[in-house]
Amino acid sequence: MWRTHEVKLLNTSAGDTVMIGEISYKLKTPRNPELVPVKHISDSLPQTVVQHLRWIMQKDLLGQDVFLIGPPGPLRRSIAMQYLELTKREVEYVALSRDTTETDLKQRREIRSGTAFYIDQCAVRAATQGRVLVLEGLEKAERNVLPVLNNLLENREMQLEDGRFLMSSERYDKLLQEHTKEELDSWKIVRVSENFRVIALGLPVPKYKGNPLDPPLRSRFQARDVYYLPFKDQLELLYTIGPNIAAERVSQLLSLATTLCSQESASLGLPDFPVDNLLPALHVLNAFPMLSSQQLIQRLYPYNSILGKDGRTAVEGVLGRFELLDGLRQPAPSAILSVSRTKDLEGHADVSLCVADKEITFQVPTRPPNSSPTFISTPSHAQLMAEMMQSHMVKDICLIGAKGCGKSVIAREFAEMLGYSIEPLMLYQDMTARDLLQQRYTLPNGDTAWRPSPLVTAALEGKLLLLDGIHRVNLGTLAVLSRLLHDRELDLYDGTRLLRWDRYQTLKEQLQLSDQQLQERSIFPIHPSFRVLALAEPPVVGASSSRGQQQWLGPELLTMFLYHTVSPMARAEEMDLIQGLTRGVPKEAAEQLLHLTHSLRETNDPTAQSLASSLSTRQLLRICRRLSQYPEESVAHAVNKACLSRFLPSLARASLQKSLANCSLQDTPDSAELSRDFSCKSQSDGMLTIGNVSAPVYSAAEKMKVPDVLFYDNPQHMMVMEDMLKDFLLGEHLLLVGNQGVGKNKIVDRFLHLLNRPREYLQLHRDTTVQTLTLQPSVRDGIIMYEDSPLVKAVKLGYILLIDEADKAPTNVTCILKTLVESGEMILADGRRIISAEGRPNTIVMHPDFRMLVLANRPGFPFLGNDFFGALGDIFSCHAVDNPKPQAELAMLKQYGPDVPDSTLQKLVAAFGDLRSMADQGTITYPYSTREVVNIVKHLQKFPGEGLANVVRNVFDFDSYNKDTREVLIEALHKHGIPIGAKPSSVKLAKELPLPEVKMTGYWTINQVGNARRKLLCPTETRSIDVKGPVFLRVQGYPCSRQESRALSFSEEKAHWQIPMNEVNIICDVATKDDVLYVATCNPVSLYSMKERGETIQYMELYDVFPRTISGVWQPFVTIAPLGSPLDGQVVLHEEQSNTVLHLDMVTGAVRRLLLSPETDPPATKASSWWSSKEQQRGHKMCHDFAHKNWLLFYKEDGNQLEVLDVLEGRVHAISLPVNLKSVHLVAEDRWLLLESNTNKKFLLTKPMNMTAGDSGVCQLHAISEDAVSSGHGVDEVFGPQMLSCEQLPNENLSAALDQKIVSPNRILADSGSFARVVVGFPDLVSPNEVYSFKRPVDLSVMKGAESGAHTLLRGGLRSSVVKRDNCVSLLSANQVVRALPPSKVPLREVYPKDVTPPMTAAYLEVTDLNSKKVKYIPVPRSVTVSPYTGWLSKVSESDVLMAALGSGGVVTVDMGGYVRLWETGSDTLQRSLMEWRNMIGSEDGRPLQITIQRDSNLDVTAPKHGKTDPTNAPHVGGNQWAGGTGGRDTAGLGGKGGPYRLDAGHKVHQVSQAEKDAVPEEVRKAAREMGEKAFKERLKEIDMSEYDAATYERFSNAVRRQVQSLRIILDSLQAKGKERQWLKNQALGELDDAKIIDGLTGEKAIYKRRGELDPEPGSAQQKPKRLRVLVDVSGSMYRFNGVDGRLERSMEAVCMVMEALESYEHRFKYDIVGHSGDGYDIELVRADKIPKNNKQRLKVIKNMHAHSQFCMSGDYTLEGTDASVKERIRMTGSEKIR
């Protein structure tokens, strides 16, 4: 047990002595009494303190240096100071920080009248004058700084920079016996006083953050643990302070504090409780005994902010234990009632608070008070202010609150209330202790001096110091403030000391010195009203310092302040605030906005919370200001803008859209908005109008600074500019975010040009520092001059400051813009400050016209910038700039390249649009922008001869070495028909064969006399139709991935795409109308419509109308008739067997059933009889040649009635006939060709043009007799025509076809016996019509049916049925007949050479060209999938395709797999397309390029001559003598002037043809191949893998190769960002550090900075690899259904992807793979410590998955597996958690 000691002061004749217990110390009279600490000793010293003092005295007497070690807080410093005050010792105090250098301890140079002098610093002064050196914060100093003191501590020796040498007193005294003092002085030896001692104060590291002690340094100190005062001592102390408080409460508080400082709480990761702050807290409690303990503890120890869930629970447990959870029972102060001057106390105010309806008045330090009129108080803020008042009574305050929640406003109002003037100090990460306290500068005469920082002036003048952003500064730098905050004392670099007011007064009285005299001795009082108010963002719980965020609020900072949290406002409060600050805001809009914001803030979803941070109160006020000005704007637009939703990750964007939808805030793109006029007009009256917004044009004094830029207006950019102008007029600073090359600079320059605003330009980069942002120092004549940066110039002159590439600078630098934007204040390096209103001297007043426009790239990969938007986004009004929409981009490109063909521009726009969406989805990393397209177009405009395929390489060659990206790019370019990589020679057009000669083969005669004048009249009746419906079916849209076919080679095929249909479905008809294609399918019945160049495929399923049938009993068969104007976009569908007629509207989805015949139901035939009977059932047919005129004709095969449906009038005209019909061809609108069913006899039916209800009209039937040319042959017309055109061939085509000039009505028809027939004169002339035929060698109907094709096997028995579609069309303008034939009916031998095997095809298109008299067969590629219903298929068409003519010329085919192909058949159009295609490739024709230099030789041309011939034929250049030279005059040669003719004497490199050069010799290629194979086999051998295994693995690997590549790119960029090097300061070599320029003048060495790897923060957690767990489903169902949807394959591919992507990132990611199935929920597939290293091991994992799912038990453990994996991950600690 310790004895009690007491401290005695004995006065004896020999001098005063201090005794502590039995140990005495003799006092000496101090030489500089003002340096002796005063008023540190309290009246009653606790025993513990006395014992510490006794120990220090022992060590002092022994001449040893001491180290007081202990927890953070002022106690250690206080004990040291008490000892020094007791022993009357002078003190040299230095607070070490991470910025302390050797010069701060030993000697610093200063320049006096042009010469550099060494000034001794604290350590040297203390040693020579015999003072005590107090070093505080040894753990803060950088590692290599303190060893300079080692020798001074050990031997009391030190070599100084100025050549002097410090020597210990014993050695010096010995030398003095042998030498004189003068000699020693001449040797520059200085005596170290025997009274010199060092007291070091430090924290124990590793428990706290910091650098551990260097062993040599540690060994030189004697250590003493100064822990908190024992419970008893502390309790007594607290009792004396709080007489009004119940003793029990005091002990409870202290018990809590002691518990939270114990070892146990430290092991839970809880920071120490700031025990020392209990004293000020009890002062508050003493004044407000009714204050709840829990609220008080929240101020001392804000555990809700600094701790995670576990920590909070632990603390609340302790609170409950000591009965301190009384937060709910006790009332909080609700408001400040009044603030008034105290009459008798200068510098104080009486503040009355309302607490629990009682008024309590207390005094706080203040200046003359007033209050701000613009502050809108809310209940929670009033309560916060009242609480802050209580804390202000006793200590400095720190406000913690999220970004933009009003901390600065509250701080300002608090200061206004108490009459403080604020001194804002924006803190940033690189801030040094010098920036905080004092900076060096030069006087006008070149002398160096120190300028106090705003912090020091605030302390002297008693202002409220606002430390904004205390969470950013490094703790090592902030440590220099701890003494100021605890003791109100401060030692500065130039030796100035600031003392607490009462200590200063005591010192003044004791020494009887005037203020003037003390100031001469550099001692100043700190004003008693001085207070510090710190603002900080909440600490990130559990964050490591590696990512810039840190848990900044540690034990040391806890002791410095009392903490108040700005809680988020309640919704009603925020509403009042918004309505108070923005008067005219529409109430509904504000409510919607707050509903959304609060729903985002209150969720537990981290994605939603990150969005909520973008919608801070500050941002909401900005949105509302804008809505009050422009009430018609949508709230959703404003929210999307504030959150920059365009650049959010897809997950966050979806989350935002969902929240918007939940709050019924849909952003509807107003159709009027898109079509609105976005022109910009500058009127003569000085107003500028963009869209709907007008602004006055600025009258700029300096025209030179107004940007002028080439800008082509386009709607999208004008919309952005209109948006910018709105915010600009509201006085906002703007931030434009976008990818590179989208025109941010152009938009801004154009914007300023229109407004006529001058600008200053500032480009940021990674080396930008806070100094370079504001001032540029330079040295002139030994004096530091500061040149204003563009920022300062813009502020002075009211220019616009354009900050470009803001994301490239570190965010800790750019954050100093915050105070400039928010409060218009900023402190410059030269001591000047920018302020927003007139005021003090040495200020720059911000010009009212000053604005900032900031440009930044979007956050996230692949931009390697910093997240500027995340750090500062909410102080700017943000605008996302995107690439222009296709139309806008096309219009803009047309202005850049007026001569570039439109088709080229469209291809470029489409291809780049595709690439951009791929970049958004993450398939490729580089976001291709408008800038690249513009460059391509500019090139094509200037050099039209160069092919597009070549020019696009200017952009894409960057990617030519990355195989995967290259493949993606080429695929995208080919898709849009940019033939990159194609050779001009790769033209693959079908071979043309000659047509047989045209012969006149017979006549058609209408009603010849010989035919007994058969002219029959046919009765007609008219009735209305019944319409059932409409019902509305869903019209779905699918994206159409249209691929241009002419990418690598040129053929007749133009483009192709796949219809999204399932594989059992069957295509049964295709029709076209203008540029719209319609495709019908019949299993189930559905209709697809798409545009030739459209983006989407519309799809309507009619399953409900035609239910799908079982086992193909009823096989519906549908025909389409697209209607014409005014029914555009509407279609009639006709089902042949049930004769169902439907009218469909593809826009609205309306379906109506049209009942043509009065009987409701068709006669019920047994379905079975239909398909089992041998005889084919006759179907109903529809003729739709005139569907575009909105009438259709229906008939039944073998029936004798025609029904004409007029869709517009809703009537049916039924015509009864005397003959049974086989088929009907509409030759013209009023003339129809009928075929009788048995005899194939032809009849022509004529009808009146307009049948109306009243006049039934008469239809006449005329028989047509057919005669052969010579009666010998007989009539060769056996079959009816398969196709008969309904219009005539143009006259020139008719003449070309028949090789004679002829003008006549005509029709072209085709049947199985001929390629084509032309009937001249039909149907209008009554005279005999001549039939001209191109006969086939073999009749098609005689040839065998399709033996090849995809469904040969099952066709055998079903071939008897006639196919429903003839697939024959006429293209009248191209003079062609096109049919689709099965391969078996094509003369393949003639088409392909003998040794070539014909390709596998679905069909051939037989193109009969009557102009060139050629026929060619174009192969149609096979369909990928074919419906299993092959019998049904075979009834549709004899080949595997259906065909229709295109409105634009050419034909469209749809194969049975749903693949649509567009074909160009006309020979003229093909020629044109081929020319265009070749132009796109460019003319690399292999000709050599020659370089010609035009020289002006200044010699005139005399007379031309051949010149002499050189016998040796040496090359000659220039001159005027030899023949065959180059570049000369008069003689024959090349490239000269004035010669008679060109003469090439062979002086040219023998040119190898391009193709030859490109071809690498075969043996080289072979060698390369062999080398690759050999290496591959050796690698397999090495990992013991068979080639079969290798192939298996390759299958999985190839499927995910691209994804692996993308993943690895992202991981690489993560690595790169993590490895970014930082500036290391205080280096002896490197680049000159601007901040150290004066130190350079004085001749210091460590004034450089250089880039290097930054050592991790001392005490920060070690970086561990992230832990990932991949959980895969390997249950039996995966194997069972793999055949259906490939689920197991996909799962295996995914595992393969993870393993490959993470290969060689083991140091960053540790993963394991676990499966779940019926066997259990944790089947180990890959262990974290056994990650597969090569393909064999990876294949083994994949095989295990496969085998397991094949043989495991059935059962489902999905939830258990997920649960177990999540828990397993949570168990991992530290950096291993996934964030």
Side-chain angles (χ1 to χ4, degrees), residues 797-815:
L797 302 168
Y799 289 173
I800 303 287
L801 176 66
L802 180 57
I803 299 182
D804 200 2
E805 308 276 13
D807 56 318
K808 298 295 178 284
T811 42
N812 52 47
V813 172
T814 40
C815 71

Side-chain angles (χ1 to χ4, degrees), residues 894-915:
K894 273 187 184 154
Q895 290 171 296
Y896 274 108
D899 307 338
V900 181
D902 272 11
S903 61
T904 304
L905 294 179
Q906 279 161 344
K907 285 189 166 94
L908 278 171
V909 169
F912 273 80
D914 238 17
L915 290 172

Side-chain angles (χ1 to χ4, degrees), residues 582-844:
T582 51
R583 293 263 174 250
V585 66
K587 191 159 193 296
E588 184 197 3
E591 277 171 350
Q592 285 179 321
L593 188 60
L594 282 179
H595 177 48
L596 169 76
T597 309
H598 284 271
S599 68
L600 284 173
R601 283 181 193 163
E602 286 151 18
T603 56
N604 294 328
D605 175 17
T607 320
Q609 283 170 343
S610 69
L611 291 170
S613 70
S614 298
L615 292 172
S616 59
T617 308
R618 180 192 290 142
Q619 192 66 278
L620 294 182
L621 284 169
R622 177 177 296 117
I623 292 174
C624 290
R625 273 201 300 276
R626 179 153 166 169
L627 287 173
S628 66
Q629 201 70 30
Y630 306 103
E632 75 288 344
E633 286 203 0
S634 84
V635 179
H637 171 68
V639 170
N640 279 323
K641 213 176 84 168
C643 296
L644 271 189
S645 65
R646 167 69 187 80
F647 300 122
L648 284 173
S650 48
L651 196 66
R653 193 177 325 147
S655 169
L656 177 65
Q657 294 310 337
K658 185 167 160 235
S659 307
L660 281 169
N662 291 348
C663 302
S664 59
L665 286 170
Q666 290 312 85
D667 195 3
T668 48
D670 195 346
S671 52
E673 177 80 358
L674 300 173
S675 57
R676 213 173 72 196
D677 175 28
F678 274 107
S679 60
C680 63
K681 299 182 276 295
S682 292
Q683 279 109 354
S684 51
D685 57 354
M687 290 297 281
L688 161 75
T689 308
I690 302 180
N692 298 342
V693 189
S694 299
V697 172
Y698 192 74
S699 55
E702 183 140 8
K703 282 270 190 265
M704 188 190 80
K705 297 255 178 175
V706 178
D708 190 2
V709 63
L710 170 74
F711 186 87
Y712 293 122
D713 289 356
N714 66 65
Q716 193 167 340
H717 285 168
M718 299 315 287
M719 275 164 77
V720 173
M721 274 156 66
E722 182 193 30
D723 224 16
M724 284 164 63
L725 189 59
K726 285 181 181 174
D727 284 337
F728 194 82
L729 292 174
L730 288 170
E732 302 285 1
H733 300 269
L734 310 182
L735 166 65
L736 271 70
V737 181
N739 289 338
Q740 87 305 338
V742 292
K744 295 188 293 291
N745 289 69
K746 285 241 179 199
I747 290 174
V748 170
D749 284 353
R750 173 69 172 168
F751 182 67
L752 297 179
H753 174 70
L754 290 172
L755 281 172
N756 197 27
R757 296 295 289 254
R759 62 149 200 205
E760 287 285 349
Y761 181 81
L762 192 59
Q763 171 136 22
L764 304 190
H765 45 87
R766 74 169 195 175
D767 292 345
T768 306
T769 60
V770 175
Q771 283 80 17
T772 55
L773 263 183
T774 52
L775 294 172
Q776 213 48 56
S778 57
V779 181
R780 271 195 219 126
D781 305 328
I783 300 168
I784 291 273
M785 309 289 282
Y786 286 99
E787 283 174 28
D788 290 348
S789 73
L791 182 145
V792 180
K793 284 183 199 157
V795 168
K796 271 189 193 167
L797 302 168
Y799 289 173
I800 303 287
L801 176 66
L802 180 57
I803 299 182
D804 200 2
E805 308 276 13
D807 56 318
K808 298 295 178 284
T811 42
N812 52 47
V813 172
T814 40
C815 71
I816 64 149
L817 299 173
K818 177 171 179 275
T819 46
L820 187 63
V821 171
E822 274 202 304
S823 52
E825 298 205 354
M826 187 186 220
I827 297 159
L828 306 181
D830 61 354
R832 290 179 302 165
R833 61 175 56 228
I834 295 171
I835 56 170
S836 48
E838 283 291 344
R840 295 168 291 181
N842 202 16
T843 54
I844 300 170

Side-chain angles (χ1 to χ4, degrees), residues 138 411 414 600 831-832 877:
L138 267 77
F414 181 70
L600 284 173
R832 290 179 302 165
S877 158

